Amino acid sequence: MRIPLSWLREYVDLPATETGRDVQEKLVSAGLEVETVEQLGADLKGPLVVGQVLTIEELEGFKKPIRFCTVDVGQANGTGEPQEIVCGARNFAVGDKVVVVLPGATLPGGFSIAARKTYGKTSHGMICSTDELGMGDDGTHGIIVLPPETEVGRDAIELLELVDEVLDIAVTANRGDCLSIRGVAREAAIAYGLPLRDPALIDVPAPNAYGYPVQVSDPFGCDRFTARTITGLRPEARSPIWLQRRLQKVGMRPISLAVDVTNYVMMELGQPLHAYDRSLVQGTIGVRRAEEGEKLVTLDGVERKLHAEDLVITDERGPIGLAGVMGGANTEIADHEVTEDGVNGTTDVVIEAAHFDAVSVARTARRHKLLSEASRRFERGVDPQAAAAAAQRTVDLLVLLAGGTAEAGVTEIIAPSAPRTITLPAGHPDQVAGVDYGRETVVRRLQEVGCDVYGQDELIVTAPSWRPDLTEPNDLAEEVIRLEGYENLPSTLPKPPSGRGLTHRQRLHRRVGRALAGAGYVEAPNYPFVSEQVFDQLGLDADDPARRVVKLVNPLSDEEPALRTTLLPGLLNALRRNDGRGSHDLTLFETGLVFLPRAERGTAVHLPVDRRPTDEEIAALDAALPEQPRHVAVVLAGAREQAGWWGKGRPADWADAVEAARTVAGETGAELIVRKGQYGPWHPGRCAELVVVADGTERVVGHAGELHPRVLKALGLPERTCAMELDLDALETAGDGVPQAPAISTFPVATQDVALVVDRPVPAAEVEAALREGAGELLESIRLFDVYENAEQLGEGRKSLAYALRFRAADRTLTVDEASAARDAAVTLAGERTGAVLRG
C-alpha cells in the first residue's frame, strides 16, 4: 500500500519537521513493514510552469511528425514573449493549457533542460508528458493537457503536487485495515500520540423506503449492502488535478470521474465501491450465488463462465458483476462523447457500497485468476460499518465535481450480527511478553486501537469493526506488545538441557555434504516441485513407481503441481541453467527429501493446540503423510580435471559418478556393491546398479553412470552428462553408522599383480569380490588398473582384467611365500566362481 505523506497529514497533524523516514521509523516500531520511502520530485528543479499553446506549425520532411509551437508562459521566462518549443506529441491543440519546462530546469533523473537546435528550429524548453515528470500513468501516454481555467504562468510543481514522499507498506494478510489512508493514519496517530481525524466520521442519512430496490438472497455472502443514486451528472466533467495526482501516487491510473471517485474513496476509507450506469441497470439489484452455466463479461472485456460458488450482483437479466471482485461490462459507466446532439455519456449512477464474505471473494478471485484492488481488500477484511460513510463520501464528491443531485432515497440492507467480545485477563499481556505493563497500560493501548474495554481483573473487550483479526486474547496481547514496542522486550537466551545436540541422521547428513564438497562438488538445493512430463523426458517406464506422485491442491505453479520422487529433475535443471550461462565444467550435488505416496490414502487428523498431542495422534498424522526418504544425488558435466601445463586434463565420466556413490557409502559405514545395471535415464551400457546388504538381503539403493543421449536431448543437457542418486536412508540402515577409518600399520606392504582372463560378459565386480574373499584377512586393498581385449591374443569374446593386490599384516612383515599364497588362494576362488584363468 502506497501512502503519500501529504495525504496522511490531512488526518493526523504530524510535526512539520517529520520526514518520510521519520514516519517510517515510527510505523516500523509499531509493527508495520514500511519497505521504502520514495522521494517524489527530489531532483526536480524549476522553472516548470503552465503555458497556453498559441500557434502550431507542422514541420515537413522528417521521418516522424514534428510540430513547432509558440506557447504563452506569462512572465515566467522573464520577457513575457511567447516561448518557441519543438514537440513531437499530437494530443494537444491551439488554445490548450500545457505544462512547460523552461531552460535552466532539471527533470527527474537529472535531465537538464537548455535551449537547443533540433529539426532546423531552436527549442527553448519542452512541453511535458506525465512520464517526463515522473507522475505515473494517466492513460493518455502524451502531453499533459490541463483544465481550461488553469492560470497561465502558474508554478506547475505546486499545481501538480510533484514534490512529495510516498511510504510503501507491505501489508500482512491480517491487517486489511492498513490497505487505506484511514488505517495507516490511525496507526500514525497512535505512534505519535496525536488525535485522528477519522474521514469515516461524517453525517450519513438514515435508510428509507425510497432508495434503489435491492434484494440480498445470500446474507452470509453479503451481510451489508448500501445503495445510493445520483442524477444529472455532467458527462464532460473530468477528475480535478488533485484527485488524479493522489490516485497516481498510490499507484492507480485515472480513468473517468465516476470511477476515479470510487477508487479515491476506496483508498481513503478502505471500502471498495462500484458505480453502475443507472440507465443500463434493469430492475432490482440482487445478490446471490451464480447458477451453473451463467456467463458474465467483466470490465476487462473477458467473458467468464461462472461457478456455482461465485457470489454475483444481478439485475433482471442476470449477473452484472462478480461481488467484491469486478463489475460487469453491461452496466459500465460510459465515458463522455461529443456528438451532433451534444455531449453524451453517463448522467445517472447507482453507487454500491457492500460488505462481502472474505473467503467467498478470495475463492472467486483465484478461480477466475482475477485479482483486483477490491478483492485484495475484501479477502483481508473490510470494515463493514464504513460502507454507509463510503457511499456518502462518494455521493458528496460526485455532486461537488460533476454537479449532480443526490436522490433522497437511501437503501441499506444489514444482516443482524452481534459484536465480537473477548474476555481477557488484565495480566495476560504481561505473561505473554514477560513485561509488567499493568492494567492501565493494557486498557489504554486497547482503547487506542478502537476497542471498548470494561472490567477490572477480567477485561471484557469489544473489538472494533475495522479489526476482524482480533478474535482471541493473544491477538489483544499482541496489540499491547507491539504498541509498547517490540524493541523494549527483554532479550532472554534459551537454556537447552545438556547432552542434546544433532541427531544421528542430522550428523550423517552433514558428513555426506562435507565429503561431497571435499570431493569437488557444489551443493545446489532445489524446490521439491516437478511436472509429470519430466518423467517422460527421463525415459521412465510407464509402470515405474517413480511416476506415482503426490499432487498439491494449491501448487505455486500449475506447471509443477507434483512433489518430486527423485532429485534428478531439479539438479539437471540447475546444470542446464549454469551451462547455458557459460559454466561448462560442473559438479553439483543435493541432499533432500523425496515424496512417495502410500498404498492407502489417509486423512490427516487435526491436532489439538491446548495440549501436547499424544503419541497416537502424532502417529496417525504421520501415517497420513507420504513416505519421505532422504536421497542424495550428484550430476557432472564437462571437465573433471582441468587441462593445463600439468597435463591434458580429464572429462567427467561414469566412473566419477560411481566414485561419488562410494564416497557417500563410506560416510554411512555401509559396504556398497557396484554392478552392471539398466534403469530409466541412464545409458544401458554405462549404468551401475548400486546395492547394499541389509539383514542378509540385497537391496538396490540407487544407480550411477552416464545419462542416455535421448535424455540429454530432451532436457537440453551437455554431452556425456553423468549422474548418481542414492537412497541415503537405506544406506544408513545398511551401515553401522560409523565411518571406517583406514588401519595404519607400521609394517611394509607386499604388492602382487594378477591378470585374469574371463568371458567378456563377466562383470569385473564379481571377479573382484571373489579375489577379495579368497585373499583373506591379509588383503588390505584391491584395485582394477587395466582392462584389455584382443581376440588374437585372448580369444574371441574374452577380456583381461588386471588387479593390484596389496597385502599387509598388522603384527609382522609378510614373507614372499605368505603374500604369494594369499594371491594364489584369491586366483583359485576367482577361477571357481567366474571361470577366470591367469593370463599367460
Side-chain angles (χ1 to χ4, degrees):
M1 178 68 190
R2 292 170 57 85
I3 306 293
L5 191 58
S6 59
W7 198 351
L8 189 66
R9 289 181 182 275
E10 284 198 5
Y11 310 123
V12 184
D13 289 327
L14 299 174
T17 57
E18 289 292 281
T19 66
R21 297 291 184 188
D22 298 328
V23 177
Q24 176 189 30
E25 184 179 350
K26 285 284 190 178
L27 293 179
V28 168
S29 178
L32 294 185
E33 184 181 351
V34 184
E35 294 185 322
T36 60
V37 178
E38 184 179 351
Q39 307 288 334
L40 299 183
D43 51 356
L44 178 64
K45 185 179 73 171
L48 188 73
V49 299
V50 176
Q52 183 172 23
V53 180
L54 301 178
T55 64
I56 297 177
E57 177 188 349
E58 300 288 345
L59 301 183
E60 305 292 341
F62 300 102
K63 292 182 179 180
K64 61 180 182 179
I66 298 296
R67 311 166 96 186
F68 181 63
C69 311
T70 60
V71 185
D72 177 15
V73 294
Q75 297 299 318
N77 58 3
T79 65
E81 296 295 324
Q83 202 78 1
E84 296 180 340
I85 298 175
V86 175
C87 184
R90 310 192 64 80
N91 68 314
F92 64 95
V94 172
D96 282 346
K97 302 289 181 64
V98 294
V99 178
V100 179
V101 57
L102 300 177
T106 303
L107 293 182
F111 183 56
S112 298
I113 303 299
R116 66 189 184 98
K117 192 169 183 178
T118 179
Y119 297 103
K121 301 284 187 179
T122 300
S123 182
H124 299 272
M126 285 175 52
I127 302 176
C128 297
S129 68
T130 55
D131 289 338
E132 290 162 343
L133 297 179
M135 294 171 57
D137 184 15
D138 66 348
T140 64
H141 301 289
I143 294 301
I144 303 170
V145 178
L146 300 172
E149 64 273 12
T150 309
E151 179 186 354
V152 171
R154 181 177 176 183
D155 183 3
I157 296 178
E158 177 186 356
L159 174 68
L160 300 177
E161 301 177 15
L162 297 179
V163 178
D164 202 350
E165 293 182 276
V166 178
L167 286 71
D168 194 350
I169 302 176
V171 179
T172 55
N174 66 316
R175 291 302 305 271
D177 60 306
C178 288
L179 287 173
S180 66
I181 304 294
R182 177 196 185 202
V184 176
R186 180 180 291 107
E187 292 296 317
I190 297 173
Y192 280 93
L194 297 171
L196 169 71
R197 289 188 292 275
D198 191 343
L201 295 180
I202 58 177
D203 292 333
V204 177
N208 53 52
Y210 309 109
Y212 198 93
V214 175
Q215 180 178 0
V216 177
S217 302
D218 189 339
F220 177 80
C222 175
D223 57 9
R224 186 179 294 258
F225 195 107
T226 300
R228 300 290 300 274
T229 305
I230 310 171
T231 60
L233 297 175
R234 298 195 311 271
E236 71 278 8
R238 312 305 296 167
S239 300
I241 293 174
W242 64 266
L243 194 151
Q244 294 187 44
R245 287 297 293 133
R246 286 194 169 179
L247 289 179
Q248 288 172 333
K249 289 177 183 179
V250 298
M252 301 194 76
R253 179 172 62 89
I255 298 174
S256 65
L257 178 59
V259 176
D260 291 349
V261 167
T262 57
N263 286 336
Y264 176 86
V265 175
M266 175 177 68
M267 290 297 175
E268 182 181 57
L269 300 181
Q271 168 66 53
L273 301 109
H274 189 69
Y276 301 93
D277 188 327
R278 183 177 181 181
S279 65
L280 299 179
V281 179
Q282 298 182 9
T284 301
I285 292 178
V287 184
R288 61 170 172 81
R289 299 289 172 175
E291 298 175 1
E292 284 292 346
E294 283 188 313
K295 295 181 179 179
L296 171 67
V297 178
T298 46
L299 288 174
D300 56 359
V302 177
E303 183 179 76
R304 304 182 185 278
K305 186 176 180 181
L306 303 180
H307 189 275
E309 292 184 5
D310 291 337
L311 192 66
V312 294
I313 311 298
T314 65
D315 64 5
E316 291 180 352
R317 297 165 296 178
I320 60 173
L322 279 173
V325 180
M326 185 174 285
N330 52 358
T331 56
E332 182 179 6
I333 298 292
D335 204 356
H336 81 284
E337 179 183 7
V338 180
T339 65
E340 295 180 357
D341 300 331
V343 179
N344 291 330
T346 299
T347 59
D348 302 340
V349 298
V350 177
I351 302 298
E352 165 209 306
H355 185 261
F356 301 111
D357 176 57
V359 174
S360 177
V361 171
R363 289 177 176 173
T364 296
R366 282 155 180 74
R367 188 180 298 119
H368 294 281
K369 295 182 173 62
L370 187 61
L371 302 180
S372 64
E373 291 289 346
S375 67
R376 184 181 174 210
R377 283 161 175 77
F378 275 123
E379 64 187 49
R380 285 166 174 77
V382 169
D383 182 2
Q385 296 186 14
Q392 182 62 44
R393 181 84 165 113
T394 304
V395 169
D396 292 342
L397 285 172
L398 285 176
V399 170
L400 174 67
L401 301 175
T405 301
E407 291 194 352
V410 177
T411 302
E412 190 167 31
I413 299 176
I414 303 175
S417 61
R420 289 176 292 112
T421 59
I422 306 165
T423 300
L424 174 74
H428 183 66
D430 299 10
Q431 295 176 355
V432 172
V435 176
D436 186 14
Y437 292 126
R439 178 188 177 280
E440 182 179 344
T441 299
V442 171
V443 172
R444 175 172 55 84
R445 288 302 190 183
L446 292 179
Q447 289 175 339
E448 285 178 345
V449 299
C451 296
D452 290 331
V453 185
Y454 302 96
Q456 293 297 319
D457 295 337
E458 199 82 357
L459 303 179
I460 306 299
V461 182
T462 302
S465 59
W466 56 82
R467 293 296 302 274
D469 58 310
L470 302 181
T471 59
E472 59 178 39
N474 285 336
D475 296 331
L476 301 177
E478 182 182 6
E479 292 300 297
V480 175
I481 296 168
R482 75 175 181 87
L483 294 179
E484 284 295 305
Y486 291 121
E487 68 276 9
N488 296 323
L489 293 177
S491 177
T492 305
L493 294 177
K495 296 180 180 179
S498 61
R500 295 188 181 183
L502 298 176
T503 65
H504 174 73
R505 189 183 190 194
Q506 290 170 332
R507 288 195 297 271
L508 174 60
H509 180 213
R510 293 193 177 187
R511 285 205 311 271
V512 168
R514 283 195 294 265
L516 289 175
Y521 290 86
V522 177
E523 188 170 15
N526 295 281
Y527 289 114
F529 312 117
V530 297
S531 67
E532 294 183 87
Q533 288 74 24
V534 75
F535 300 124
D536 296 328
Q537 296 171 323
L538 290 176
L540 299 185
D541 294 335
D543 58 348
D544 194 298
R547 285 183 175 270
R548 294 183 60 245
V549 296
V550 177
K551 289 188 178 180
L552 300 173
V553 176
N554 55 340
L556 294 180
S557 170
D558 292 336
E559 296 179 357
E560 296 181 332
L563 292 173
R564 65 188 178 191
T565 56
T566 167
L567 301 181
L568 289 184
L571 271 180
L572 293 175
N573 280 338
L575 185 143
R576 180 183 66 244
R577 185 165 53 252
N578 283 275
D579 180 72
R581 294 178 179 176
S583 298
H584 304 301
D585 303 324
L586 296 161
T587 51
L588 308 178
F589 84 93
E590 180 180 9
T591 57
L593 302 179
V594 298
F595 305 85
L596 310 177
R598 298 183 186 272
E600 295 184 3
R601 183 175 178 180
T603 302
V605 298
H606 291 284
L607 297 182
V609 296
D610 58 341
R611 58 175 174 80
R612 183 190 182 281
T614 64
D615 294 340
E616 292 75 14
E617 289 171 331
I618 296 175
L621 179 64
D622 290 339
L625 298 175
E627 296 181 15
Q628 301 175 50
R630 186 178 297 277
H631 279 204
V632 57
V634 305
V635 294
L636 309 93
R640 186 70 175 106
E641 297 176 3
Q642 295 290 334
W645 57 265
W646 52 84
K648 296 181 179 179
R650 180 177 65 81
D653 61 16
W654 62 269
D656 294 303
V658 174
E659 184 59 28
R662 294 187 189 278
T663 299
V664 173
E667 294 299 320
T668 67
E671 183 178 352
L672 191 67
I673 301 172
V674 180
R675 61 192 181 200
K676 183 179 180 181
Q678 181 174 348
Y679 176 69
W682 281 276
H683 192 296
R686 298 167 188 162
C687 173
E689 186 177 73
L690 309 175
V691 180
V692 294
V693 177
D695 299 328
T697 304
E698 286 191 353
R699 178 178 175 183
V700 177
V701 293
H703 295 83
E706 184 179 314
L707 297 181
H708 198 288
R710 284 198 301 268
V711 174
L712 302 182
K713 183 177 180 180
L715 295 175
L717 299 172
E719 294 182 358
R720 311 304 291 266
T721 297
C722 301
M724 178 277 292
E725 183 167 12
L726 281 171
D727 185 335
L728 192 54
D729 285 353
L731 269 179
E732 182 181 6
T733 302
D736 56 13
V738 180
Q740 297 298 316
I744 306 299
S745 174
T746 59
F747 295 95
V749 66
T751 302
Q752 297 276 354
D753 293 345
V754 295
L756 303 178
V757 178
V758 296
D759 292 336
R760 188 177 297 164
V762 175
E766 290 186 13
V767 179
E768 180 181 326
L771 289 173
R772 187 183 298 276
E773 182 178 343
E777 62 182 12
L778 294 179
L779 182 67
E780 181 180 80
S781 67
I782 180 172
R783 177 175 63 89
L784 174 66
F785 66 87
D786 184 54
V787 179
Y788 176 71
E789 295 184 14
N790 188 311
E792 294 182 1
Q793 296 184 17
L794 304 178
E796 192 68 37
R798 305 278 280 176
K799 64 181 178 182
S800 171
L801 303 176
Y803 293 90
L805 286 72
R806 293 167 58 90
F807 298 98
R808 197 192 315 250
D811 57 350
R812 68 187 187 281
T813 299
L814 293 178
T815 65
V816 174
D817 292 339
E818 287 178 311
S820 298
R823 180 202 63 187
D824 293 341
V827 171
T828 300
L829 185 60
E832 293 174 358
R833 291 188 177 178
T834 66
V837 297
L838 277 172
R839 180 179 170 189

